[in-house]
Amino acid sequence: MVVGGGPAGLAAARTAARHGVRVVLVDENSELGGQHYRQMPAGFRAPERARIGRESDEGRRLIDEVRGLGVEVRLESVAWGIFDGRVVALATSGESSRIAAETLILAPGAYDRPVPFPGWTLPGVITASGAQNLVKAYRVLPGRRVLIAGSGPLLLAVAHSLLAGGARIAAICEASPMRHLWRYGPRLLPHLNFVQQGHHYRREIAEAGVPFLAGHVIRRALGGAEVTGAVVSPCDGEWRPVGGTELHYDADCVVVGYGFLSSLELSRLAGCEERYAAGLGDYVPVRSRELESTVPGIFVVGAGARVPGAAVALEEGHLAGLAVANRLGLLTGRGYSREASRARGRLLHLAGFRRVMDDLYRFGAGLHALADDLTTLCRCEEVAVSEAVAAVRDGARHVDEVKAWTRIGMGRCQGRMCGPALAHVIARATGGPVTEAGVFTPRPPVKPVRLAALARGGD
């Protein structure tokens, strides 16, 4: 079974099926493709002039190939639990089921890092992936005058999509200082295709007259019933706001994208070990050379393993598919060694670019100092930062303890939006490392499912 129909999951399913593995591919969306290969929903049509990017076409070819190989595809199916090793619980809108897999590849993807700041709950404040979804899948602009704040190459891609769709961009605020770029030149020479794409985006942005502010973070979003503008300011190397000039921008949409967090709920539920990577500001699963987790027979690939970029995700999915075929005795000996070595070689090549990106856009924990005491920390339960801090002062030291005292993390998102930020609030209040604050204990269902589906499935 492959959980997740993005680049990594599609590549894993394709490779495994090519070598004779019976594959079930599940995804909670109505269309395969994930975020990178986002497809328009069935029944939607757009004129050729409205096409944005080539990713959807590349994804369509890969999706058609996977279906042509006889892979069993289950869409709108939420994988909400893993039991007894590799028994995956699935739920649709009407029923639930369980599938016992010999091997399991988790490719759950990632989601935008939630960053609480004053005004972040205003209508019109949207994540970078949310903006991309609107433009890619529905050809809808999130706003007419947009401010983009965050860090990483995705900001350029979002700006490209918005400009192509006809939006005006007030400014792009990149948290990383972007100094001494020339130092990365020799390390980037083997990756000119990525460099040229980035250069094309930067030139397009410059020609549109969009200000690009390096070393700046958003301070607050402005507005009453909806966002009407934003305030940004310079930041230090840890992305902590510093004194100086505050810049005010009028905007009817604020796009925020400070990187991603891996969707680790299923791997945690399965008991897979992980470690905290301070430079990424996220936990990553511990994996073998074959990308197998510490639980035998469970592989974790792509953005779900904190792997940035579709190119790397495709190669990781391919390598995991080879490993599964080898594990099941369908690809052995020199055949497996030769193909696996090629895949590892390509991943090693791509790792050079990844290290440059990790260094250039190194996560700054000071980002979590943007919120003041009155800022909403848990959107679902409407818990403010001050309430979490009060719980810490009363003795809470772990996110689960604060959850029990305040209900933070008990809403529909199940802690995805507030958990990481809460850990940093605890660390700042106690003076300890963020790892001591921990993560919410995973419990099924890891995502909301209908009670009717559970009742009809006999689970």
Side-chain angles (χ1 to χ4, degrees):
M1 175 178 283
V2 179
V3 177
L10 287 168
R14 176 180 62 181
T15 298
R18 277 177 175 174
H19 293 286
V21 179
R22 181 189 172 195
V23 180
V24 177
L25 172 62
V26 301
D27 192 277
E28 64 189 62
N29 295 297
S30 59
E31 299 285 342
L32 292 172
Q35 173 66 16
H36 185 74
Y37 292 143
R38 180 68 61 182
Q39 302 293 306
M40 292 187 70
F44 277 65
R45 296 290 182 269
E48 188 66 28
R49 60 181 172 78
R51 300 180 67 83
I52 299 176
R54 65 179 186 278
E55 294 87 358
S56 61
D57 293 334
E58 294 174 353
R60 174 50 56 190
R61 289 192 291 270
L62 179 55
I63 292 168
D64 290 344
E65 187 176 359
V66 166
R67 289 185 178 277
L69 288 167
V71 172
E72 180 183 345
V73 177
R74 298 193 181 190
L75 296 174
E76 298 181 328
S77 296
V78 177
W80 59 266
I82 297 179
F83 305 94
D84 302 322
R86 294 184 297 277
V87 177
V88 181
L90 303 175
T92 63
S93 60
E95 63 180 4
S96 65
S97 61
R98 298 194 184 197
I99 297 180
E102 289 185 68
T103 52
L104 177 61
I105 298 177
L106 299 178
Y111 61 98
D112 294 80
R113 183 191 306 278
V115 180
F117 57 86
W120 78 305
T121 59
L122 282 172
V125 179
I126 189 172
T127 65
S129 293
Q132 284 286 76
N133 285 351
L134 286 174
V135 176
K136 281 186 174 183
Y138 303 101
R139 306 303 190 264
V140 172
L141 289 174
R144 289 293 177 181
R145 181 172 174 82
V146 184
L147 175 82
I148 301 175
S151 184
L154 180 60
L155 301 189
L156 303 180
V158 171
H160 165 76
S161 297
L162 293 175
L163 288 172
R168 294 174 57 200
I169 300 178
I172 300 174
C173 303
E174 166 61 58
S176 295
M178 307 295 287
R179 291 192 296 266
H180 308 302
L181 290 177
W182 58 270
R183 294 181 178 177
Y184 298 100
R187 296 164 61 185
L188 288 173
L189 281 177
H191 310 283
L192 287 180
N193 54 330
F194 297 131
V195 174
Q196 289 170 348
Q197 185 179 39
H199 177 69
H200 168 72
Y201 287 161
R202 284 294 299 268
R203 185 179 61 199
E204 179 184 56
I205 291 166
E207 290 175 351
V210 177
F212 185 90
L213 308 176
H216 282 68
V217 293
I218 188 168
R219 293 298 299 270
R220 57 189 178 274
L222 307 174
E226 59 187 23
V227 67
T228 57
V231 177
V232 303
S233 70
C235 63
D236 61 17
E238 288 297 313
W239 298 0
R240 186 181 297 104
V242 297
T245 303
E246 287 191 343
L247 302 176
H248 294 242
Y249 289 95
D250 294 329
D252 60 1
C253 176
V254 175
V255 174
V256 182
Y258 287 97
F260 296 94
L261 298 177
S262 297
S263 297
L264 295 172
E265 297 82 17
L266 285 174
S267 60
R268 285 172 178 162
L269 195 62
C272 304
E273 292 182 18
E274 57 188 35
R275 62 179 178 83
Y276 186 74
L280 303 175
D282 192 14
Y283 289 87
V284 296
V286 177
R287 304 184 296 171
S288 68
R289 290 180 71 230
E290 286 73 33
L291 309 180
E292 187 174 22
S293 73
T294 54
V295 176
I298 297 182
F299 300 77
V300 188
V301 296
R306 200 49 174 84
V307 174
V312 180
L314 288 168
E315 286 299 335
E316 284 210 347
H318 175 58
L319 180 57
L322 293 174
V324 166
N326 175 257
R327 187 69 53 87
L328 299 178
L330 298 172
L331 178 65
T332 59
R334 292 183 178 178
Y336 169 70
S337 298
R338 181 171 57 252
E339 288 202 49
S341 295
R342 289 173 180 169
R344 292 193 193 97
R346 289 190 291 268
L347 283 171
L348 185 62
H349 171 73
L350 291 169
F353 184 76
R354 175 185 175 184
R355 284 190 292 270
V356 172
M357 293 298 100
D358 289 346
D359 190 17
L360 189 60
Y361 301 107
R362 183 178 179 83
F363 170 71
L367 193 67
H368 291 289
L370 295 174
D372 57 28
D373 286 346
L374 298 180
T375 301
T376 298
L377 184 58
C378 176
R379 302 167 68 112
C380 299
E381 297 294 323
E382 297 184 342
V383 180
V385 170
S386 60
E387 297 175 71
V389 172
V392 175
R393 289 172 180 165
D394 288 340
R397 293 294 181 269
H398 192 277
V399 292
D400 281 337
E401 294 174 332
V402 179
K403 176 181 181 179
W405 295 3
T406 66
R407 291 189 59 84
I408 189 171
M410 296 181 71
R412 181 177 177 82
C413 82
Q414 298 178 257
R416 289 175 181 82
M417 295 296 289
C418 58
L422 173 61
H424 283 274
V425 168
I426 296 173
R428 193 164 62 250
T430 61
V434 69
T435 51
E436 288 187 1
V439 298
F440 289 131
T441 301
R443 292 184 177 89
V446 298
K447 289 189 175 181
V449 295
R450 294 180 180 272
L451 289 175
L454 299 183
R456 293 193 185 104
D459 289 333

